[in-house]
Amino acid sequence: LEKDVVVVIKSTVPVGTNALVKRRFDQELVGKKAYVVSNPEFLAQGQAVNDALYPKRIVIGYEEPEVRKVMEEVYLPFSRQIVFTDLISSELSKYVCNNMLALKISFMNEIASLSDCVGADIECIKEIMQMDPRIGTSFLNPGIGYGGSCFPKDTIALSRFAKNELDLDLDIVNAGIKRNKLQKTILYRKAKERFGTLKGKNIALIGLTFKAGTDDLREAPSLVIIDALIKDGARVVAYDPLLDLINKKNINREVVFIKDFEEIVSSNDIIFLINDGLGLKPEMFTDKIVFDGRNNFKLDQVDVLKEYHSIGRKSIIN
């Protein structure tokens, strides 16, 4: 190095990583200094550009006071609240935020299972919850579990760090991980209960990615559903316009992909809706048996369906 530098680490890294990097620079550099800053990104997949340009918060972890002025100048164009803190608190904050969101999803999915058992309507319960500003309105949608590159990785990473490094059991985080694993099989289990056996059944899956609006299959619930259905002897076909050939290679080879939406619906009586945000309407599935993993339809709209099974609501059989 020709002069002192500021090294900004934006990746989600295990607690203590920034301090480790700082010590390494201190050991290796002679006559120069590297100031290490923890500046985790908070970007939601599918809206990363908007989150980068209009961040809800900017977190900067540092040790040396000289760094604060530099980072203030870097973020001068962004008129958002900046939280200055220490390195460890900055690192941990990213994990805590993602774990909190994952736990909200898992909690709602657990209450959806309770609603199934007692005959309550989880969508009505959600609406009541959202009226309380202390609870908020986001991440309360029941479904088939979370996937993607962040929530599964960050919940497990935080749990393992606490246990392996501190001998601390994060019971609530662990319960959320367990619930999410179970939730990924909910549609399969509902279909199994409905038919008794799935052997020889033709089942069509609509939308396979972990989240609508992306082409990301990492930790997607659809992968678990597909494997369970095929293991049980079902014949599975799939439709997802966002998936390319590379992504399709990660899916069970026994799945047959159909390019045309109308074809896959017309040629199969049992439909699994994996994603929301696809612009689907009940009229598209007239006289079909639909297992809806994202509660895409209101119960008073599904009279055109032969059967409608959703998450945390009563089944409709017309």
Side-chain angles (χ1 to χ4, degrees), residues 105-210:
I105 295 171
S106 291
F107 177 77
M108 287 303 293
N109 285 334
E110 188 155 87
I111 300 305
S113 292
L114 176 61
S115 298
D116 269 336
C117 293
V118 302
D121 184 343
I122 189 62
E123 294 297 334
C124 180
I125 293 170
K126 180 183 73 173
E127 182 179 355
I128 295 169
M129 293 173 65
Q130 290 175 332
M131 293 177 178
D132 190 330
R134 297 171 301 175
I135 296 176
T137 60
S138 61
F139 288 83
L140 296 180
N141 294 323
I144 52 177
Y146 58 76
S149 62
C150 292
F151 289 177
K153 169 179 65 68
D154 290 351
T155 50
I156 293 173
L158 190 63
S159 174
R160 288 180 177 174
F161 167 77
K163 183 62 178 178
N164 295 339
E165 301 297 328
L166 307 171
D167 196 25
L168 175 65
D169 291 313
L170 299 183
D171 294 332
I172 296 176
V173 172
N174 291 335
I177 295 171
K178 181 180 178 181
R179 162 51 60 178
N180 193 63
K181 182 177 180 180
L182 178 64
Q183 198 69 20
K184 289 184 176 183
T185 65
I186 185 66
L187 288 191
Y188 161 76
R189 288 185 283 116
K190 282 179 175 288
K192 183 82 169 177
E193 181 180 357
R194 164 63 180 83
F195 296 109
T197 179
L198 299 177
K199 187 175 182 179
K201 299 290 185 183
N202 296 316
I203 300 178
L205 272 62
I206 307 296
L208 299 183
T209 58
F210 91 92

